[in-house]
């Protein structure tokens, strides 16, 4: 049986109370681990990183309660490796994504299932090593800056033998974000790629009332059937060196899209150009954004119809200008009625107005912002989108489809995780790792915290 270090209270033993102390120690051990020979332990307390205030470092608590399974589809996992994300330091520094204090962060990990779900026909079983993208940040049980975490079976990806644990721990959130951006906001169908999901078909064939109200419009009306991205279309990824871009480019290429990647060529150009999995069709230097817009418009004959920004509101504004835009039929008619020539002398009868419903509207362009979108100067014919991340953890049909597909892609080698560019030691090392990220010392991949 695996040897586990137990936390026990100190006591002074004497010949007269030795038997009592031994009995008491056994009771403590059973209460903390409740384990029997040949089984995984079920601890009662654990170590966890807690955030108690804005702009403060996380503090290590060594007596935090282990989260408890509450639903038949939930698993209890021992956390093995944690991927560090920008949100883990930006949230505390800028006070967003933190519902209450004390707060437990951590959005993705690889762990071992020590308590399997009670639901039947689950892909996941006790002892499995799994990838967990933990997108439900309001449920602290599912946060991963702790030794044990809860996950839903439909949000869990079995780790294939050909994928290292550390690499798997930085894949999940980027994968979920990329699939939802492409599949929901741009309408890409992955049905021809290892039986992948058609997400628009899934969400538009379930009860609309089951969709969260704040993303319902995005799911049902965000992109029309005639506007869906298809093989041969251009997609611009601004912030092409990010981890999310790393995954998005791979999935876009599998779907047959042509890729323009906007990134700092001096820092990332060699890596992006020499790595076949993420090499774009066109790499544009981001150093001069105005020039980048000109290059994109020239290369795509006046702009592409699809764009994905991974950086923020400012770069999303430049990306917006890189997209093809047009005046809607209604605006064109209005403009012509006001600005067009007035033939007062003409004796010809005025032709009847063309019904608006008979005017064929050109397909809109679509801009997806991962962390921010422009607020003003939105041209006609461009639709703005935010990634509906809630779909993954609130709609089981979506979560299951994404996780099962990710497993198949990893097994076939069709999806390559981002690079691990550094390791930190346990929960204790996470603050130091986040400081490195604050100082912009981490490039071309992610840091991983490895837990004992």
């Amino acid at each position: 049986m695996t040897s586990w270090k137990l936390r026990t209270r100190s006591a002074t033993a004497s010949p007269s109370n030795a038997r009592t102390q031994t009995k008491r120690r056994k009771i403590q051990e059973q209460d903390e681990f409740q384990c029997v020979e040949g089984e995984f332990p079920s601890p009662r307390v654990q170590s966890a990183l807690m955030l108690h205030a804005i702009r403060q470092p996380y503090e290590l608590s060594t007596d935090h309660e282990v989260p408890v399974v509450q639903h038949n589809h939930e698993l209890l996992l021992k956390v093995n490796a944690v991927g560090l994300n920008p949100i883990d330091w930006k949230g505390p520094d800028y006070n967003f994504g933190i519902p209450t204090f004390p707060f437990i962060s951590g959005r993705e990990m690889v762990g071992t299932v020590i308590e399997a779900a009670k639901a039947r026909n689950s892909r996941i079983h006790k002892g499995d090593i799994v990838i967990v993208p933990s997108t439900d940040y309001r449920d602290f049980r599912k946060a991963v800056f702790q030794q044990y975490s809860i996950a839903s079976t439909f949000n869990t990806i079995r780790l294939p033998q050909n994928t290292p644990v550390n690499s798997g721990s930085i894949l999940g959130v980027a994968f979920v974000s990329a699939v939802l951006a492409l599949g929901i906001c741009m309408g890409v169908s992955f049905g021809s790629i290892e039986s992948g999901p058609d997400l628009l078909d899934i969400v538009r064939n379930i009860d609309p009332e089951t969709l969260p109200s704040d993303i319902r419009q995005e799911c049902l009306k965000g992109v029309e059937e005639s506007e869906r991205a298809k093989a041969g279309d251009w997609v611009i990824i601004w912030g092409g060196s990010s981890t999310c871009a790393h995954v998005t480019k791979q999935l876009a290429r599998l779907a047959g899209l042509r890729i323009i990647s906007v990134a700092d060529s001096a820092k990332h150009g060699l890596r992006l150009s020499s790595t076949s999995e993420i090499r774009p069709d066109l790499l544009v230097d981001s150093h001069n954004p105005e020039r980048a817009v000109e290059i994109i418009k020239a290369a795509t004959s006046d702009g592409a119809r699809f764009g994905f920004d991974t950086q923020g509101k400012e770069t999303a504004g430049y990306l917006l200008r890189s997209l093809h835009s047009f005046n809607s039929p209604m605006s064109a008619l209005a403009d012509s009625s006001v600005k067009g020539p007035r033939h007062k002398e003409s004796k010809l009868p005025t032709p009847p107005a063309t019904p608006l419903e008979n005017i064929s509207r050109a397909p809109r362009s679509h801009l997806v912002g991962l962390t921010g979108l422009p607020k003003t100067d939105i041209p006609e014919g461009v639709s703005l989108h935010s990634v509906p991340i809630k779909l993954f953890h609130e709609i089981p049909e979506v979560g299951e489809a994404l996780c099962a597909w990710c497993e198949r892609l990893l097994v076939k080698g069709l999806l390559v995780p981002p690079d691990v560019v550094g390791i930190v030691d346990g929960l204790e090392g996470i603050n130091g790792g986040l400081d490195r990220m604050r100082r912009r010392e981490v490039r071309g991949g992610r840091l991983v915290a490895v837990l004992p």
Side-chain angles (χ1 to χ4, degrees):
M1 178 177 175
T2 304
S3 175
W4 293 84
K5 184 177 180 181
L6 306 181
R7 293 177 59 256
T8 59
R9 300 174 183 172
S10 61
T12 302
S14 65
S16 60
N17 66 5
R19 186 173 301 173
T20 301
Q21 293 295 334
T22 300
K23 182 177 180 181
R24 186 175 298 164
R25 184 163 54 251
K26 287 182 177 179
I27 292 174
Q28 289 173 342
E29 293 175 1
Q30 290 173 357
D31 182 60
E32 288 192 350
F33 277 138
Q34 292 282 307
C35 62
V36 297
E37 187 69 28
E39 293 188 356
F40 291 102
S42 300
R44 297 292 182 87
V45 294
Q46 62 166 339
S47 293
L49 278 188
M50 315 288 290
L51 183 70
H52 294 277
I54 295 301
R55 289 179 287 279
Q56 296 293 321
Y58 294 94
E59 295 182 11
L60 184 66
S61 170
T62 58
D63 59 356
H64 187 71
E65 289 186 359
V66 169
V68 177
V69 168
Q70 297 178 357
H71 305 285
N72 286 344
H73 61 262
E74 290 183 344
L75 313 157
L76 176 64
L77 302 106
K78 171 68 174 68
V79 179
N80 300 330
V82 173
L84 303 189
N85 281 271
I87 187 65
D88 297 327
W89 70 265
K90 290 183 178 180
D93 284 13
Y94 300 106
N95 192 17
F96 67 88
I98 301 175
T100 59
F101 291 104
F103 174 70
I104 305 178
S105 190
R107 300 273 66 88
E108 57 186 341
M109 60 100 159
V110 165
T112 302
V113 178
I114 64 173
E115 185 175 333
K118 297 178 182 178
R120 295 181 178 180
N121 303 320
S122 171
R123 289 177 296 110
I124 313 300
H125 302 95
K126 191 172 183 177
D128 284 349
I129 309 297
V130 295
I131 299 169
V132 179
S134 181
T135 57
D136 190 1
Y137 70 93
R138 292 184 179 275
D139 189 345
F140 295 172
R141 300 177 309 133
K142 297 178 180 178
V144 303
F145 282 4
Q146 52 188 339
Q147 289 179 300
Y148 296 87
S149 181
I150 297 292
S152 298
T153 55
F154 52 82
N155 289 158
T156 305
I157 304 161
R158 290 174 296 181
L159 185 78
Q161 292 184 350
N162 63 342
T163 304
V165 167
N166 292 349
S167 298
S169 71
I170 59 173
L171 171 66
V173 171
F175 176 78
V176 171
S177 300
V179 177
L180 292 177
L182 292 168
I184 293 292
C185 304
M186 302 183 198
V188 175
S189 173
F190 300 104
S192 62
I193 309 162
E194 293 299 317
S195 302
D198 183 339
L199 292 180
L200 284 187
D201 185 65
I202 292 175
V203 299
R204 294 176 181 179
N205 282 283
I206 62 177
D207 182 358
E209 294 300 317
T210 64
L211 296 171
S213 59
D214 57 337
I215 62 171
R216 192 173 300 158
Q217 183 72 13
E218 175 65 59
C219 295
L220 301 180
K221 303 292 184 180
V223 59
E224 297 179 5
E225 192 67 28
S226 60
E227 298 173 336
R228 298 179 67 162
K230 58 185 183 300
D233 285 340
W234 285 102
V235 59
I236 308 164
I237 303 175
W238 203 297
S241 64
S242 71
T243 301
C244 188
H246 176 96
V247 178
T248 303
K249 283 183 280 189
Q250 295 181 67
L251 298 181
R253 173 154 290 120
L254 289 174
L257 300 179
R258 293 184 290 174
I259 303 163
I260 296 175
S261 183
V262 184
D264 188 327
S265 296
K267 295 179 181 177
H268 306 289
L270 179 61
R271 177 175 62 88
L272 298 180
S273 299
S274 60
T275 306
S276 59
E277 294 86 2
I278 59 174
R279 183 187 301 122
D281 295 281
L282 174 63
L283 176 62
V284 179
D285 186 21
S286 62
H287 181 71
N288 185 337
E290 296 285 353
R291 178 61 175 158
V293 172
E294 293 177 4
I295 293 172
I296 293 169
K297 298 281 276 188
T300 58
S301 301
D302 201 30
R305 277 206 309 120
F306 301 96
F308 185 27
D309 178 81
T310 71
Q311 294 185 315
K313 186 185 301 184
E314 182 179 358
T315 52
Y318 287 111
L319 178 53
L320 178 64
R321 293 167 50 194
S322 304
L323 297 178
H324 177 73
S325 62
F326 61 93
N327 289 323
S328 68
M330 183 176 295
S331 298
L333 287 176
D335 290 344
S336 64
S337 65
V338 174
K339 302 177 182 178
R342 297 178 182 272
H343 300 287
K344 292 184 177 180
E345 304 299 325
S346 175
K347 297 182 180 180
L348 295 174
T350 301
T354 304
L356 292 179
E357 60 269 20
N358 292 335
I359 298 176
S360 61
R361 189 177 73 176
R364 296 172 296 174
S365 296
H366 298 270
L367 168 61
V368 187
L370 185 64
T371 60
L373 287 167
K375 300 296 184 183
T376 59
D377 299 324
I378 312 302
E380 294 275 3
V382 178
S383 181
L384 305 186
H385 305 261
S386 296
V387 179
I389 204 75
K390 281 185 179 180
L391 273 178
F392 179 66
H393 59 261
E394 294 202 15
I395 306 299
E397 296 92 331
V398 173
E400 178 67 21
L402 265 63
C403 290
W405 186 47
C406 187
E407 289 180 4
R408 296 193 292 273
L409 293 177
L410 289 172
V411 168
K412 291 293 185 68
L414 296 175
L415 178 61
V416 178
D419 291 334
V420 176
V421 296
I423 301 292
V424 301
D425 188 14
L427 297 175
E428 298 87 345
I430 287 179
N431 278 320
L434 297 180
D435 284 341
R436 290 182 57 192
M437 296 170 68
R438 285 185 178 94
R439 295 191 297 265
R440 304 293 195 271
E441 295 176 2
V442 180
R443 299 172 181 169
R446 288 281 169 83
L447 296 179
V448 175
V450 178
L451 276 63

